């Protein structure tokens, strides 16, 4: 039976809605299908979700879905995965949120961990032409992300100029601190300088999370984020410290999965846990698997050397990178409707988004370009891949496979 009230009389735009309930097993089945077939990145994932859960299954209505997408775009973390976890939460409670995450995430995570373990067993694989092709195609993928995000998130000269300044700052301070400084300064710039119109009011959806529970989840998020630097310093070199670095990266990623690349690179490469070559090869391969790009963290965990690397490390880093996104989206849900109407919050987020473009632009040069482009042939392959992605709009899956084959043939 439909749990929504009858449309007669017409409710107020601010009326609350309660989604129909189902089982965690139902949620797992629905999201496992998407986890096996959802290629194309977070924007495509949101389209798949809309088709599956708004149009076909009718778990949520159009306005509530748009409101949920707006929230997850506003928060740091993997937007499409956060939408999925919230849909599971609304459908079947906390077990539903877990089922949605498992179904959507595990297929790609397992594939990437298998690749990482294969590279550790067969050392020649890491330096093969096919893996070099994956590194080269990563240049095209990141360039496409920079291009698309710049057009969407830097629509005026002020934000475009700040994106360039943020890139220069990150290049000048090539560490997590430089990236965090760029994001914080972007928030300050947006809050006090940008002028934006208010968002329209929208219907707010109940997801079974009370204000008290939401506050507790946000407190857990803040405590874990605050403890991360101490854990990294106190337990440096341990899996706990590494997971804390990855948690920190997952907690501070604005702008989607592509932006997690520079944060994870800054966390793991300088300490020698993963080489730039291994990192970029996995990042290129991540474009060819379905599901969220954040599963790249599982690849890095599995690729680390003994005694840290392997299946358990991959699963630990997978949990670490997704946990902050779940805590945030579930914690903010009870407060979102009033929060998103605040002009200061909207302006700060616009400034952060411009910073995100700058962080990704800096990552396009270092480590992506510097680690992959060494010859005219490399540049030609990257340029061809970029053209196929941006102009021909070919699926990233086929571009990645083609680049790996070209690398195997020519390098």
């Amino acid at each position: 039976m439909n749990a929504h009230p009858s449309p007669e009389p017409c409710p107020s735009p601010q009326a609350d809605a309660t989604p129909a309930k189902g089982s965690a097993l139902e949620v797992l089945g629905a999201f496992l299908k998407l986890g096996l077939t959802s290629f194309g990145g977070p924007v495509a994932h949101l389209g798949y979700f809309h088709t599956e859960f708004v149009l076909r299954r009718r778990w949520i209505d159009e306005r509530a879905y748009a409101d949920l997408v707006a929230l997850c775009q506003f928060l740091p973390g993997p937007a499409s995965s956060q939408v999925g976890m919230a849909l599971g939460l609304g459908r079947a409670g906390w077990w539903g949120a877990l089922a949605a995450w498992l179904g959507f995430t595990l297929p790609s995570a397992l594939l990437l961990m298998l690749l990482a373990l294969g590279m550790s067993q067969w050392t020649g694989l890491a330096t093969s032409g096919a893996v070099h092709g994956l590194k080269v195609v990563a240049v095209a993928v990141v360039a496409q992300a920079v291009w698309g995000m710049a057009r969407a998130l830097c629509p005026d000269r002020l934000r475009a100029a700040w994106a360039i300044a943020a890139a220069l700052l990150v290049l000048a301070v090539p560490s997590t601190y430089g990236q965090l400084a760029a994001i914080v300064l972007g928030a300050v710039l947006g809050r006090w300088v940008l002028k934006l119109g208010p968002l329209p009011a929208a219907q707010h959806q109940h997801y079974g999370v009370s204000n008290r529970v939401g506050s507790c989840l946000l407190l857990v998020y803040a405590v874990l984020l605050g403890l991360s630097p101490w854990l990294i310093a106190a337990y440096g070199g341990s899996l706990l410290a590494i997971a804390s670095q990855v948690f920190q990266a997952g907690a501070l990623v604005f702008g989607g999965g592509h932006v997690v690349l520079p944060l994870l690179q800054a966390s793991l490469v300088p300490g020698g846990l993963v080489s730039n070559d291994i990192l970029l090869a996995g990042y290129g391969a991540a474009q060819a698997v379905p599901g969220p790009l954040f599963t790249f963290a599982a690849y890095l965990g599995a690729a680390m050397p003994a005694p840290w690397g392997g299946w358990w490390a991959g699963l630990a880093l997978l949990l670490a990178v997704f946990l902050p996104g779940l805590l945030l989206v579930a914690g903010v849900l009870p407060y979102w409707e009033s929060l998103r109407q605040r002009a200061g919050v909207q302006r700060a987020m616009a400034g952060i988004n411009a910073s995100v473009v700058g962080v990704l632009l800096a990552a396009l040069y270092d480590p992506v370009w510097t680690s992959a482009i060494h010859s005219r042939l490399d540049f030609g392959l990257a340029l061809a891949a970029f053209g196929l992605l941006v102009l021909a709009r070919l699926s990233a899956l086929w571009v990645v496979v083609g680049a790996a084959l070209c690398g195997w043939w020519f390098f």
Side-chain angles (χ1 to χ4, degrees):
M1 177 178 290
N2 191 347
H4 290 283
S6 169
E8 298 293 336
C10 184
S12 160
Q14 295 295 328
D16 293 331
T18 302
K21 296 300 179 181
S23 69
L25 188 61
E26 175 196 24
V27 173
L28 178 63
F31 276 93
L32 182 60
K33 182 182 77 172
L34 293 171
L36 291 167
T37 60
S38 295
F39 294 91
V43 175
H45 298 161
L46 295 176
Y48 293 131
F49 290 170
H50 180 269
T51 300
E52 184 71 16
F53 301 116
V54 179
L55 300 181
R56 197 173 79 82
R57 295 179 181 265
R58 301 186 184 278
W59 286 6
I60 190 171
D61 61 37
E62 291 277 3
R63 294 189 65 189
Y65 182 73
D67 187 46
L68 179 59
V69 171
L71 167 61
C72 296
Q73 297 286 5
F74 170 90
L75 295 173
S80 60
S81 295
Q82 287 170 307
V83 170
M85 288 185 284
L87 288 170
L89 178 65
R91 185 68 179 178
W94 291 106
W95 285 112
L98 177 61
W101 177 75
L102 287 173
F104 191 56
T105 303
L106 280 187
S108 58
L110 292 174
L111 288 171
L112 290 173
M113 283 193 285
L114 283 172
L115 173 65
L117 293 172
M119 294 176 71
S120 64
Q121 291 295 321
W122 297 286
T123 55
L125 182 62
T127 57
S128 67
V131 169
H132 184 70
L134 292 176
K135 291 160 54 182
V136 170
V137 82
V139 176
V141 170
V142 176
Q144 181 196 28
V146 171
W147 176 260
M149 292 173 67
R151 294 178 65 185
L153 303 179
C154 300
D156 50 59
R157 290 185 178 181
L158 177 61
R159 276 178 276 186
W162 173 246
I164 293 173
L168 293 173
L169 173 60
V170 172
L171 290 172
V173 186
S175 67
T176 305
Y177 297 107
Q179 296 160 8
L180 295 181
I183 290 172
V184 171
L185 290 174
V188 173
L189 175 75
R191 173 64 179 85
W192 298 108
V193 178
L194 286 179
K195 303 294 182 183
L196 300 174
L199 289 174
Q203 188 180 33
H204 185 57
Q205 189 91 352
H206 276 310
Y207 291 87
V209 181
S210 67
N211 287 1
R212 177 177 295 180
V213 171
S215 298
C216 290
L217 293 173
L218 294 177
L219 179 61
V220 171
Y221 168 85
V223 169
L224 290 176
L225 185 59
L227 285 175
S228 293
W230 180 79
L231 291 173
I232 294 167
Y235 298 95
S238 69
L239 185 57
L240 177 61
I242 297 166
S244 298
Q245 289 178 289
V246 173
F247 178 90
Q248 200 173 62
L252 298 169
V253 171
F254 289 88
H258 291 291
V259 187
V260 82
L261 171 67
L263 292 177
L264 291 178
Q265 190 271 344
S267 298
L268 301 180
V269 172
L273 293 170
V274 178
S275 69
N276 265 329
D277 289 344
I278 295 294
L279 179 137
L280 289 177
Y283 184 76
Q287 315 305 316
V289 297
L293 192 56
F294 271 50
T295 54
F296 178 52
Y299 165 88
L300 295 176
M304 290 190 304
W308 306 283
W311 285 103
W312 288 112
L315 292 173
L317 298 197
L318 184 69
L319 290 171
V321 80
F322 277 100
L323 179 59
L326 174 61
L327 293 173
L328 273 177
V329 70
V332 172
L333 275 172
Y335 306 103
W336 172 233
E337 188 58 31
S338 60
L339 182 65
R340 72 188 292 255
Q341 299 300 326
R342 297 185 180 182
V345 172
Q346 296 171 35
R347 292 196 300 269
M349 285 306 306
I352 288 172
N353 286 336
S355 295
V356 163
V357 175
V359 170
L360 198 56
L361 179 60
L364 176 60
Y365 171 71
D366 183 16
V368 178
W369 181 281
T370 56
S371 298
I373 306 301
H374 305 299
S375 67
R376 292 185 178 184
L377 187 58
D378 292 337
F379 177 72
L381 180 58
L383 187 61
F386 180 79
L388 291 173
L389 289 169
V390 175
L391 301 179
R393 297 185 179 180
L394 196 63
S395 167
L397 169 65
W398 301 116
V399 176
V400 169
V401 170
L405 290 174
C406 287
W408 173 75
W409 184 264
F410 292 110
F411 299 114

Coordinates of all heavy atoms in Angstrom, one line a residue, residues 14-48:
Q14 N 6.4 22.6 1.6 CA 7.3 22.2 2.7 C 6.8 20.9 3.5 O 7.4 20.5 4.5 CB 7.4 23.3 3.7 CG 8.1 24.5 3.1 CD 9.6 24.2 2.8 OE1 10.2 23.4 3.4 NE2 10.1 24.9 1.7
A15 N 5.7 20.3 3.0 CA 5.2 19.1 3.7 C 6.2 18.0 3.7 O 7.0 17.8 2.8 CB 3.9 18.7 3.0
D16 N 6.2 17.2 4.8 CA 7.1 16.1 4.9 C 6.5 14.9 4.2 O 5.2 14.7 4.1 CB 7.4 15.7 6.4 CG 8.1 16.8 7.0 OD1 8.9 17.5 6.3 OD2 8.0 17.0 8.3
A17 N 7.3 14.0 3.8 CA 6.9 12.7 3.1 C 7.6 11.6 3.8 O 8.8 11.7 4.1 CB 7.1 12.8 1.6
T18 N 6.9 10.4 3.9 CA 7.5 9.2 4.4 C 7.6 8.2 3.4 O 6.5 7.8 2.9 CB 6.7 8.7 5.7 OG1 6.7 9.8 6.6 CG2 7.4 7.5 6.3
P19 N 8.8 7.7 3.0 CA 8.9 6.7 1.9 C 8.3 5.3 2.3 O 8.3 5.0 3.5 CB 10.4 6.6 1.7 CG 11.0 7.0 2.9 CD 10.1 8.0 3.6
A20 N 7.8 4.6 1.4 CA 7.4 3.2 1.6 C 8.5 2.3 2.1 O 9.7 2.6 1.8 CB 6.7 2.6 0.4
K21 N 8.2 1.3 2.9 CA 9.3 0.5 3.4 C 9.4 -0.8 2.7 O 8.5 -1.3 2.1 CB 9.0 0.2 4.9 CG 9.0 1.5 5.8 CD 10.4 2.2 5.7 CE 10.4 3.4 6.6 NZ 11.7 4.1 6.5
G22 N 10.6 -1.4 2.7 CA 10.9 -2.7 2.1 C 11.9 -3.4 2.9 O 12.1 -3.1 4.1
S23 N 12.5 -4.4 2.3 CA 13.5 -5.3 3.1 C 14.9 -4.9 2.6 O 15.1 -4.5 1.5 CB 13.2 -6.7 2.8 OG 13.5 -7.1 1.5
A24 N 15.9 -5.3 3.5 CA 17.3 -5.1 3.1 C 17.7 -6.0 1.9 O 18.5 -5.6 1.1 CB 18.2 -5.3 4.3
L25 N 17.1 -7.2 1.9 CA 17.4 -8.1 0.8 C 16.9 -7.5 -0.6 O 17.6 -7.6 -1.6 CB 16.7 -9.4 1.0 CG 17.1 -10.6 0.1 CD1 18.6 -10.8 0.1 CD2 16.3 -11.8 0.4
E26 N 15.7 -6.9 -0.5 CA 15.3 -6.2 -1.8 C 16.2 -5.1 -2.2 O 16.5 -5.0 -3.4 CB 13.9 -5.6 -1.5 CG 13.3 -4.8 -2.6 CD 12.1 -3.9 -2.2 OE1 12.0 -3.6 -1.0 OE2 11.3 -3.5 -3.1
V27 N 16.7 -4.3 -1.2 CA 17.6 -3.2 -1.5 C 18.9 -3.8 -2.1 O 19.5 -3.3 -3.1 CB 17.9 -2.4 -0.2 CG1 19.0 -1.4 -0.5 CG2 16.6 -1.7 0.2
L28 N 19.4 -4.9 -1.5 CA 20.7 -5.5 -1.9 C 20.6 -6.0 -3.4 O 21.5 -5.7 -4.2 CB 21.0 -6.7 -1.0 CG 22.3 -7.4 -1.4 CD1 23.5 -6.6 -1.3 CD2 22.5 -8.7 -0.5
G29 N 19.5 -6.6 -3.7 CA 19.3 -7.1 -5.1 C 19.2 -5.9 -6.1 O 19.8 -6.0 -7.2
A30 N 18.5 -4.9 -5.7 CA 18.4 -3.7 -6.7 C 19.8 -3.1 -6.9 O 20.1 -2.7 -8.0 CB 17.4 -2.7 -6.1
F31 N 20.5 -2.9 -5.8 CA 21.8 -2.2 -6.0 C 22.9 -3.1 -6.5 O 23.8 -2.6 -7.1 CB 22.2 -1.5 -4.6 CG 21.6 -0.2 -4.4 CD1 20.4 -0.1 -3.7 CD2 22.1 0.9 -4.9 CE1 19.7 1.1 -3.5 CE2 21.5 2.2 -4.7 CZ 20.3 2.3 -4.0
L32 N 22.8 -4.4 -6.3 CA 23.8 -5.3 -6.8 C 23.7 -5.3 -8.4 O 24.7 -5.3 -9.1 CB 23.6 -6.7 -6.3 CG 24.6 -7.7 -6.8 CD1 26.0 -7.4 -6.4 CD2 24.2 -9.1 -6.2
K33 N 22.5 -5.2 -8.9 CA 22.3 -5.1 -10.3 C 23.0 -3.9 -10.9 O 23.7 -3.9 -11.9 CB 20.8 -5.1 -10.7 CG 20.6 -5.1 -12.2 CD 19.1 -5.0 -12.5 CE 18.5 -3.6 -12.3 NZ 17.1 -3.5 -12.7
L34 N 22.8 -2.7 -10.2 CA 23.4 -1.5 -10.6 C 24.9 -1.5 -10.4 O 25.7 -1.0 -11.2 CB 22.8 -0.3 -9.8 CG 21.3 0.0 -10.1 CD1 20.8 1.0 -9.1 CD2 21.2 0.5 -11.5
G35 N 25.4 -2.2 -9.3 CA 26.8 -2.3 -9.1 C 27.5 -3.1 -10.2 O 28.7 -2.9 -10.4
L36 N 26.8 -3.9 -10.8 CA 27.4 -4.8 -11.9 C 27.3 -4.1 -13.3 O 28.0 -4.5 -14.2 CB 26.7 -6.1 -12.0 CG 27.0 -7.1 -10.8 CD1 26.1 -8.2 -10.8 CD2 28.5 -7.5 -10.8
T37 N 26.4 -3.1 -13.4 CA 26.1 -2.6 -14.8 C 26.3 -1.0 -14.9 O 26.2 -0.5 -16.0 CB 24.7 -2.9 -15.2 OG1 23.8 -2.4 -14.2 CG2 24.5 -4.4 -15.2
S38 N 26.5 -0.3 -13.8 CA 26.5 1.1 -13.8 C 27.9 1.7 -14.2 O 28.7 2.0 -13.3 CB 26.1 1.7 -12.5 OG 24.7 1.4 -12.2
F39 N 28.1 1.8 -15.5 CA 29.3 2.4 -16.0 C 29.1 3.9 -16.2 O 28.0 4.4 -16.3 CB 29.8 1.8 -17.3 CG 30.2 0.4 -17.2 CD1 29.3 -0.6 -17.3 CD2 31.5 0.0 -16.9 CE1 29.7 -2.0 -17.2 CE2 31.9 -1.3 -16.8 CZ 31.0 -2.3 -16.9
G40 N 30.2 4.7 -16.3 CA 30.0 6.1 -16.7 C 30.2 7.2 -15.7 O 30.1 8.3 -16.0
G41 N 30.5 6.8 -14.4 CA 30.8 7.9 -13.4 C 29.6 8.3 -12.7 O 28.5 7.9 -12.9
P42 N 29.8 9.3 -11.7 CA 28.7 9.6 -10.8 C 27.5 10.3 -11.4 O 26.4 10.0 -11.0 CB 29.4 10.6 -9.8 CG 30.7 11.0 -10.5 CD 31.1 9.9 -11.4
V43 N 27.7 11.1 -12.5 CA 26.5 11.7 -13.1 C 25.7 10.6 -13.8 O 24.4 10.6 -13.7 CB 27.0 12.7 -14.2 CG1 25.8 13.2 -14.9 CG2 27.7 13.9 -13.5
A44 N 26.3 9.6 -14.4 CA 25.6 8.5 -15.0 C 24.9 7.7 -13.9 O 23.8 7.2 -14.1 CB 26.5 7.7 -15.9
H45 N 25.6 7.5 -12.8 CA 25.0 6.7 -11.7 C 23.7 7.3 -11.2 O 22.7 6.7 -11.0 CB 26.0 6.6 -10.5 CG 27.2 5.9 -10.9 ND1 28.4 6.1 -10.1 CD2 27.6 5.1 -11.9 CE1 29.4 5.3 -10.6 NE2 28.9 4.7 -11.7
L46 N 23.7 8.7 -11.1 CA 22.5 9.3 -10.7 C 21.4 9.2 -11.7 O 20.2 9.1 -11.3 CB 22.8 10.8 -10.5 CG 23.7 11.2 -9.3 CD1 24.0 12.7 -9.3 CD2 23.2 10.7 -8.0
G47 N 21.7 9.1 -13.0 CA 20.7 8.8 -14.0 C 20.1 7.4 -13.9 O 18.9 7.2 -14.0
Y48 N 21.0 6.4 -13.6 CA 20.6 5.0 -13.4 C 19.7 5.0 -12.2 O 18.6 4.3 -12.2 CB 21.8 4.1 -13.1 CG 22.7 3.9 -14.3 CD1 24.1 4.0 -14.2 CD2 22.2 3.5 -15.6 CE1 24.9 3.8 -15.3 CE2 23.0 3.3 -16.6 CZ 24.4 3.5 -16.5 OH 25.2 3.3 -17.6

